[in-house]
């Protein structure tokens, strides 16, 4: 079984998730629960899909 945590693409995508969460924290309060939710969910799905695919 492969360890997805060793892949550069997974590491880069996790760094991107951290950067996006930092960026979303600076959004105006009226965007906190609409646009920011969509952005963070889509960002988290990238490393999640990489991890899921390496398990198959």
């Amino acid at each position: 079984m492969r360890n997805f945590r060793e892949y550069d693409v997974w590491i880069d995508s996790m760094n991107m998730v951290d950067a996006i969460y930092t960026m979303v924290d600076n959004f105006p309060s009226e965007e906190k629960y609409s646009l920011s939710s969509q952005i963070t969910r889509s960002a988290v799905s990238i490393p999640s899909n990489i991890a899921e695919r390496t398990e198959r």
Side-chain angles (χ1 to χ4, degrees), residues 18-36:
D18 289 339
I20 287 175
Y21 268 91
T22 301
M23 178 187 66
V24 166
D25 284 341
N26 296 320
F27 277 12
S29 60
E30 60 270 6
E31 295 296 336
K32 286 285 184 192
Y33 300 107
S34 58
L35 182 60
S36 63

Side-chain angles (χ1 to χ4, degrees), residues 5 13 16 25 34 43 45-46 50:
R5 289 179 182 92
S13 65
M16 182 188 67
D25 284 341
S34 58
S45 74
I46 296 168
I50 293 169

Side-chain angles (χ1 to χ4, degrees), residues 35-52:
L35 182 60
S36 63
S37 174
Q38 287 180 312
I39 291 171
T40 55
R41 282 185 286 126
S42 64
V44 168
S45 74
I46 296 168
S48 299
N49 287 335
I50 293 169
E52 180 181 338

Side-chain angles (χ1 to χ4, degrees), residues 1-2 4 7 46-56:
M1 191 169 357
R2 301 177 189 161
F4 60 88
Y7 290 139
I46 296 168
S48 299
N49 287 335
I50 293 169
E52 180 181 338
R53 188 66 187 153
T54 58
E55 296 296 319
R56 291 184 183 183

